[in-house]
Amino acid sequence: MDAGRADAAISFEPHRPRLTRVAYRMLGSVADAEDVVQDAFLRWHTTDRSEVDNAEAFLVRVVTRLCLDVLKSSRRKRETYIGPWLPDPVVESEADMAEDVTLPLLLALERLSPLERAAFLLHDVFGMEFDEVATAIDREPAACRQLAARARQHVHEARPRFAVDQRRGLEFAEAFFAASQTGDMAMLKSMLAADITVTADGGGKRPAGPVPIVGFDAVMRLMERMARMFANAPSQLVRFATINGLPGFVTLEADGELQTTALEIVDGKIAGIYVVRNPDKLGHLDGMALN
């Protein structure tokens, strides 16, 4: 590695975790986020760094603009995606969890324009002042305030009213996993909300429902079918974990592929079950989730 590249790497690496979180929350894809951050590093390498007063602000601006470019093409890809789309599952670290970005919020962000999403995330989630946001997305501060305000209205319902304690959430996940695997319908009935929704993302690569399953009765019928399947081919638990801000678990399924299940808990009941089966979205978990 040449001296210039080594110097760029040394000054860049402390910012990589934050830049990756920004990119992932913008894009919902681990691979795309990593590509964007690597592209940002290449630009950092060719930048006259002596002219940069605030490296983090500069790099967040670069990453944000790269993400806006990616979003233009990814929206077209979503139009041809097979079945429901869910963000790549991320097993959360303490730093990720501190930002209170749950999977329902990530899904709500999908309904925003790219600029609304950027303004909301940079200001409301990452705590940047609107002057900094304006520089990052090349808009006036007043316009950024309006973008964030519109975004806030759209995502308000997706933010948890009462965050579930992490330990209590994982207890929910343990109980749900045990009941679903053993076919304990009485336990499952006691855990599920009346308006529960199950969303499974197979991406056309593995079997998954073509649309979300909505309502207590429909979900209980699904649970009964799954219990019969698990009786012959049970899931192998890899670990319980916090996934995209929600309690859940990682499993190895009968076909030899990983799967993640995340549970949205509202008022002491499971209101949403989010299952990612698409292997393209699970490869990054091989080294981390199996430890």
Side-chain angles (χ1 to χ4, degrees):
M1 182 182 294
D2 63 76
R5 190 177 181 88
D7 175 70
I10 290 170
S11 57
F12 183 87
E13 286 306 312
H15 304 292
R16 186 182 291 273
R18 180 176 175 85
L19 297 175
T20 302
R21 291 198 297 274
V22 171
Y24 170 74
R25 280 154 176 70
M26 283 283 290
L27 303 174
S29 165
V30 171
D32 286 347
E34 290 174 346
D35 287 346
V36 160
V37 172
Q38 187 58 26
D39 197 356
F41 167 71
L42 295 176
R43 297 186 183 209
W44 180 243
H45 177 231
T46 58
T47 295
D48 183 354
R49 295 182 292 282
S50 66
E51 297 294 319
V52 177
D53 293 329
N54 186 323
E56 182 173 282
F58 175 87
L59 290 168
V60 167
R61 180 169 71 248
V62 171
V63 164
T64 300
R65 291 180 177 177
L66 289 170
C67 285
L68 291 172
D69 291 339
V70 172
L71 284 172
K72 294 175 185 177
S73 60
S74 64
R75 294 225 163 194
R76 290 193 293 271
K77 293 178 183 177
R78 302 277 166 80
E79 293 174 359
T80 59
Y81 194 82
I82 299 175
W85 180 92
L86 293 174
D88 290 6
V90 172
V91 176
E92 303 279 18
S93 68
E94 290 297 324
D96 295 324
M97 292 168 61
E99 286 155 3
D100 188 29
V101 179
T102 63
L103 196 153
L105 179 56
L106 288 172
L107 291 173
L109 293 175
E110 284 293 306
R111 298 191 289 270
L112 304 179
S113 73
L115 287 175
E116 287 172 339
R117 189 188 313 196
F120 175 82
L121 284 171
L122 294 178
H123 179 265
D124 286 42
V125 174
F126 292 102
M128 292 175 61
E129 298 294 332
F130 278 117
D131 286 347
E132 297 175 286
V133 176
T135 302
I137 66 174
D138 196 24
R139 293 293 187 276
E140 292 296 323
C144 293
R145 288 190 180 88
Q146 292 179 338
L147 288 166
R150 287 202 300 268
R152 213 172 290 126
Q153 290 178 338
H154 287 297
V155 305
H156 176 73
E157 291 301 319
R159 304 206 82 160
R161 295 187 297 276
F162 304 101
V164 178
D165 174 76
Q166 184 186 12
R167 183 173 61 83
R168 177 61 177 148
L170 292 178
E171 289 174 354
F172 254 95
E174 292 175 16
F176 176 80
F177 176 77
S180 62
Q181 292 291 310
T182 61
D184 188 342
M185 293 299 121
M187 175 61 77
L188 289 170
K189 285 180 180 179
S190 72
M191 298 182 72
L192 304 185
D195 58 350
I196 185 169
T197 299
V198 177
T199 306
D201 179 344
K205 305 293 181 67
R206 294 171 72 197
V211 295
I213 297 173
V214 181
F216 183 86
D217 292 339
V219 171
M220 282 304 303
R221 288 193 293 272
L222 172 65
M223 292 293 106
E224 290 168 356
R225 293 196 301 271
M226 296 299 292
R228 290 194 293 270
M229 185 187 73
F230 291 142
N232 297 317
S235 302
Q236 178 185 337
L237 177 67
V238 174
R239 64 181 291 190
F240 294 105
T242 301
I243 300 169
N244 295 112
L246 301 181
F249 44 87
V250 183
T251 52
L252 188 64
E253 297 301 305
D255 60 2
E257 297 282 357
L258 287 175
Q259 174 175 300
T260 62
T261 302
L263 308 175
E264 181 183 5
I265 313 297
V266 178
D267 297 331
K269 298 282 187 179
I270 299 174
I273 302 173
Y274 303 92
V275 181
V276 175
R277 292 175 52 78
N278 185 346
D280 294 344
K281 298 186 174 188
L282 297 163
H284 66 281
L285 295 180
D286 283 341
M288 177 173 56
L290 295 174
N291 290 332

